[in-house]
């Protein structure tokens, strides 16, 4: 009987000695690339049915059982079973994604292409429609990950069309479709668009599940490597770009985070200005620890940790520390520095009756454990609010 290469990919070795081993082109089975064929068997129905590798390929093609993935550590590594759960319909999946090399990587606060999760890959392959912060960036990401749209829709959902995107998503869900919402890099809604979309789904279709597909998040990544207390965290996101509003927001966040760690996202061209504002707002005796985490999970990932003066010196002396998106963390005061839990304004009111204003403010700030500038601002705000 003439021998020919097996038409179905398998990994079995030839049973008979002396048979030539052929290596035909990669064969696509269902949605998966099967391993290289390394066997030569008689082309007959009997031969195929007796081929155990053929039966395993058939089971994968028909979707039976779990998919086995071989880790990148080596060919002899133990196979890992990964269970793929069938997507719900209708449903909305909030998918955390990674950055895309070559697509202005300095814009993303986090973004190694390998950070993508297996579940995120499955969801992006199988959903009916994808809503993206930037369709060009997401299209490039899908291309790098080897995911084809195949006539599926890739629709925009950014800060200027969230309401329209929410209504469009509701129509898709009412047609029994499942959708994914992604941002350019990281987790949707964490300083990224998507809140109005989720709210529209919760209000317009409360029976539709909203599922989280966790993954990249610069907030969590920075907290895990900064070495600052994480028991109480205040996330401030991006500060306003305007000078007066920027300073007012920073003062308010520092006041709220006096007993916890404050986390901010910052653009590289504003990092030095923000650090200088922090130095001016923190009193000399308020020696809080800071951390600057930039280019997280990327090639030039850097974590700077120290006092505000040490961080400022490091950033000024090395211009490369002002490149790439930054996560800035400010620790709260130490327990010994906080002082008794008293009402600063009440203390100031009592002392103002006996002492000059400047002296009363200094003593009240020391007793209550708050910066003098913060106490003065609160005093002026209360005086201006009176009828």
């Amino acid at each position: 009987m003439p021998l020919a290469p097996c038409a179905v990919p398998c990994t079995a070795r030839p049973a008979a000695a002396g048979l030539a081993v052929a290596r035909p082109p990669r064969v696509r089975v269902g949605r998966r690339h099967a391993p290289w064929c390394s066997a030569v068997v008689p082309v007959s129905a009997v031969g195929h049915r007796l081929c155990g590798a053929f039966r395993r390929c058939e089971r994968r093609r028909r979707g039976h059982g779990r998919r086995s993935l071989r880790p990148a550590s080596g060919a002899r590594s133990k196979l890992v079973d990964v269970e793929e759960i069938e997507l719900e319909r209708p449903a909305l999946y909030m998918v955390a994604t990674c950055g895309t090399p070559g697509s202005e990587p300095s814009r993303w606060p986090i973004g190694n292409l390998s950070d993508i999760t297996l579940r995120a890959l499955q969801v992006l392959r199988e959903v009916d429609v994808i809503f993206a912060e930037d369709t060009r960036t997401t299209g490039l990401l899908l291309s790098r990950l080897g995911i084809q749209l195949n006539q599926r829709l890739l629709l925009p959902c950014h800060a200027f069309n969230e309401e329209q995107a929410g209504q469009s998503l509701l129509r898709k869900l009412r047609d029994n479709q499942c959708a994914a919402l992604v941002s350019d890099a990281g987790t949707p809604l964490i300083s990224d668009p998507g809140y109005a979309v989720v709210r529209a789904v919760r209000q317009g279709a409360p029976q539709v599940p909203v599922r989280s597909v966790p993954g990249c998040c610069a907030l969590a990544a920075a907290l895990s490597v900064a070495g600052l207390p994480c028991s109480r965290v205040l996330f401030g996101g991006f500060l306003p770009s305007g000078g007066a509003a920027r300073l007012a927001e920073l003062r308010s966040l520092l006041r709220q985070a006096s007993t916890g760690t404050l986390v901010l996202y910052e653009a590289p061209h504003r990092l030095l200005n923000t650090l200088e504002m922090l130095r001016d707002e923190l009193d000399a005796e308020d020696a809080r620890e800071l951390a600057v985490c930039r280019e997280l999970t990327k090639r030039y990932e850097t974590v700077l940790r120290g006092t505000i003066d040490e961080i400022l010196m490091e950033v000024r002396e090395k211009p490369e520390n002002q490149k790439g998106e930054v996560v800035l963390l400010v620790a709260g005061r130490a327990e010994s520095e906080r002082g008794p839990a008293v009402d600063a304004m009440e203390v100031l009111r009592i002392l103002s009756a006996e002492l000059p204003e400047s002296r009363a403010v200094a003593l009240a700030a020391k007793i209550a454990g708050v910066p003098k500038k913060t106490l003065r601002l609160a005093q002026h705000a209360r005086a201006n609010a009176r009828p």
Side-chain angles (χ1 to χ4, degrees), residues 96-110:
T97 57
C98 53
T100 309
S103 61
E104 301 182 69
S106 62
R107 292 176 52 193
W108 320 134
I110 190 169

Side-chain angles (χ1 to χ4, degrees), residues 23 39 91 108 116 158 194 220 248 266 351 364:
R23 188 176 186 180
W108 320 134
I116 196 72
H158 45 73
E266 193 52 273
L351 294 178

Side-chain angles (χ1 to χ4, degrees), residues 159-176:
F160 304 102
N161 78 329
E162 278 193 83
E163 298 293 342
Q164 298 89 328
Q167 297 306 313
S168 176
L169 174 60
L170 279 176
R171 290 192 292 270
K172 300 295 181 184
L173 296 177
R174 287 166 184 157
D175 291 339
N176 202 41

Side-chain angles (χ1 to χ4, degrees), residues 50-117:
L50 293 178
C51 180
F54 169 74
R55 291 197 301 271
R56 288 193 294 272
C57 290
E58 278 293 291
R59 286 180 60 80
R60 286 199 297 268
R61 184 179 65 82
R62 295 171 183 173
H64 297 303
R66 298 179 178 179
R67 181 194 301 184
S68 294
L69 301 178
R70 185 179 295 278
S73 56
R76 295 186 179 181
S77 300
K78 185 179 179 180
L79 295 179
V80 178
D81 287 338
V82 179
E83 184 177 6
E84 289 191 353
I85 303 176
E86 185 177 355
L87 300 189
E88 301 174 76
R89 283 182 170 79
L92 172 62
Y93 290 88
M94 312 298 292
V95 183
T97 57
C98 53
T100 309
S103 61
E104 301 182 69
S106 62
R107 292 176 52 193
W108 320 134
I110 190 169
N112 189 313
L113 192 63
S114 301
D115 291 337
I116 196 72
T117 66

Side-chain angles (χ1 to χ4, degrees), residues 8-77:
V8 179
C10 61
T11 55
R13 291 292 178 186
L19 295 182
V21 176
R23 188 176 186 180
R26 187 183 292 269
V27 180
R28 191 169 180 82
V29 178
R31 294 191 177 192
R32 306 170 180 85
H33 281 296
W36 292 102
C37 178
S38 58
V40 175
V41 298
V43 180
S44 65
V46 176
H48 281 167
R49 291 184 182 278
L50 293 178
C51 180
F54 169 74
R55 291 197 301 271
R56 288 193 294 272
C57 290
E58 278 293 291
R59 286 180 60 80
R60 286 199 297 268
R61 184 179 65 82
R62 295 171 183 173
H64 297 303
R66 298 179 178 179
R67 181 194 301 184
S68 294
L69 301 178
R70 185 179 295 278
S73 56
R76 295 186 179 181
S77 300

Side-chain angles (χ1 to χ4, degrees), residues 201-325:
V201 173
R202 292 297 191 190
Q203 294 177 351
Q207 76 284 358
V208 174
V210 179
R211 304 301 186 197
S212 172
V213 183
C216 289
C217 181
L219 168 63
L223 285 170
S224 68
V225 299
L228 300 182
C230 300
S231 55
R232 300 185 66 181
V233 176
L234 176 64
F235 178 55
F238 285 97
L239 293 174
S241 56
R246 185 178 178 81
L247 181 57
E249 180 70 11
L250 180 60
R251 286 173 175 170
S252 174
L253 291 172
L254 285 174
R255 183 171 63 253
Q256 298 175 56
S258 61
T259 59
T261 298
L262 173 63
V263 183
L264 300 172
Y265 287 172
E266 193 52 273
H269 63 279
R270 289 199 292 260
L271 175 60
L272 194 58
N273 175 257
T274 301
L275 291 173
E276 290 172 348
M277 287 197 304
L278 273 172
R279 183 194 56 189
D280 295 339
E281 291 303 312
L282 298 176
D283 292 335
E285 63 274 10
D286 190 2
R288 301 198 200 185
E289 286 186 298
L290 279 79
V292 172
C293 306
R294 72 176 192 92
E295 296 288 272
L296 285 170
T297 78
K298 303 179 191 177
R299 178 179 299 177
Y300 301 107
E301 177 176 319
T302 304
V303 179
L304 306 177
R305 189 167 177 269
T307 64
I308 182 62
D309 292 328
E310 294 170 345
I311 296 292
L312 263 173
M313 182 182 302
E314 190 74 16
V315 171
R316 284 171 175 163
E317 290 181 353
K318 297 182 179 179
E320 61 269 20
N321 289 327
Q322 300 181 42
K323 297 179 181 179
E325 291 286 349

